[in-house]
Amino acid sequence: MKIAVTSLENKKAGEVELNETIFGLPVRADLLARMVNYQLAKRRAGTHKVKERGEVRGSTRKIKNQKGGGARHGSIRANLFRGGGVTHGPRVQDHSHDLPKKVRLLALKTALSAKVAEGKLIVLDNTEVKEPKTSILVKKLAALGWTSALVIDGTTVNEGFARASRNIPCIDILPQQGANVFDILRRDTLVLTKDAVEALEARLK
């Protein structure tokens, strides 16, 4: 599978061969959904917490006599009293769950293949910019038609491009090691540099 290579100046810069086993797989929505859920679950802090009956302050004496009138309450810290504990409230917990490594790799391949199938994968020759200025980069991206894009560079991200794109909405940049399903799907266009294509093919073989 061949795809044209473009430059930041919106000029053709040759072609590159894409590996069919990585960029030509059938799109499986179930795999993508599992992977996105896995990533978002790992991000959750799980630090939400309320005080339960055994954690709030309050006297331990019986409020009223067992007999002789009045409800038979045993503690002022019960949930139905003001200042009492909360029933079935959230607790500190780890929301992450396991997903086999083979499934994670296949999900990443599927995400890349989905962008190819949609015609929203662009291969860039490099991310080098002469002047790392946001105003200049905005004009270049507008000429290319990138309004929502994830740019994946090689092993290291070009510092000038990263600095210039930092304040541009909906434009993200990652090194190839950080390529992940959630970030690929959340942006409309996926832009891979030639170095990123080589690195991803070596990583996902």
Side-chain angles (χ1 to χ4, degrees):
M1 179 194 306
K2 285 189 177 181
I3 188 168
V5 179
T6 188
S7 67
L8 282 175
E9 281 67 38
N10 200 14
K11 294 179 181 178
K12 192 171 180 181
E15 290 184 336
V16 67
E17 186 79 28
L18 297 181
N19 192 326
E20 290 275 356
T21 61
I22 296 172
F23 294 93
L25 297 179
V27 179
R28 287 186 53 186
D30 61 319
L31 271 181
L32 298 177
R34 286 179 68 188
M35 189 61 194
V36 169
N37 287 336
Y38 168 79
Q39 284 187 246
L40 295 182
K42 283 194 76 172
R43 290 185 184 187
R44 292 183 66 178
T47 52
H48 46 342
K49 177 75 172 72
V50 293
K51 288 187 177 181
E52 299 182 358
R53 180 169 174 165
E55 297 169 320
V56 296
R57 294 183 64 182
S59 174
T60 57
R61 75 175 181 85
K62 190 170 175 61
I63 300 170
K64 293 185 178 180
N65 292 334
Q66 179 72 5
K67 300 196 177 199
R72 300 172 178 183
H73 292 300
S75 172
I76 196 70
R77 296 183 292 181
N79 65 302
L80 50 81
F81 289 115
R82 181 171 181 173
V86 177
T87 305
H88 305 307
R91 299 179 178 181
V92 175
Q93 59 181 310
D94 181 11
H95 293 279
S96 65
H97 57 267
D98 292 330
L99 196 63
K101 186 176 180 180
K102 286 184 178 180
V103 175
R104 285 181 271 146
L105 289 175
L106 185 56
L108 182 53
K109 291 178 185 179
T110 303
L112 295 171
S113 299
K115 288 298 181 184
V116 173
E118 293 171 4
K120 294 180 178 178
L121 175 71
I122 295 169
V123 178
L124 193 68
D125 58 347
N126 59 66
T127 54
E128 291 179 11
V129 288
K130 293 179 181 177
E131 292 182 87
K133 290 186 176 180
T134 302
S135 57
I136 296 174
L137 187 59
V138 164
K139 292 177 182 177
K140 289 184 177 182
L141 298 184
L144 288 162
W146 302 352
T147 54
S148 172
L150 170 66
V151 181
I152 299 180
D153 210 338
T155 307
T156 57
V157 171
N158 183 280
E159 190 177 338
F161 187 91
R163 193 183 304 125
S165 64
R166 192 175 297 155
N167 290 330
I168 304 176
C170 301
I171 301 295
D172 301 325
I173 182 165
L174 291 172
Q176 65 84 15
Q177 307 95 301
N180 65 88
V181 173
F182 177 71
D183 284 324
I184 289 172
L185 296 180
R186 72 193 288 258
R187 296 299 177 212
D188 185 58
T189 306
L190 174 62
V191 182
L192 301 178
T193 63
K194 288 197 290 187
D195 290 342
V197 171
E198 291 176 10
L200 285 170
E201 287 184 349
R203 170 180 159 190
L204 300 173
K205 242 181 224 179

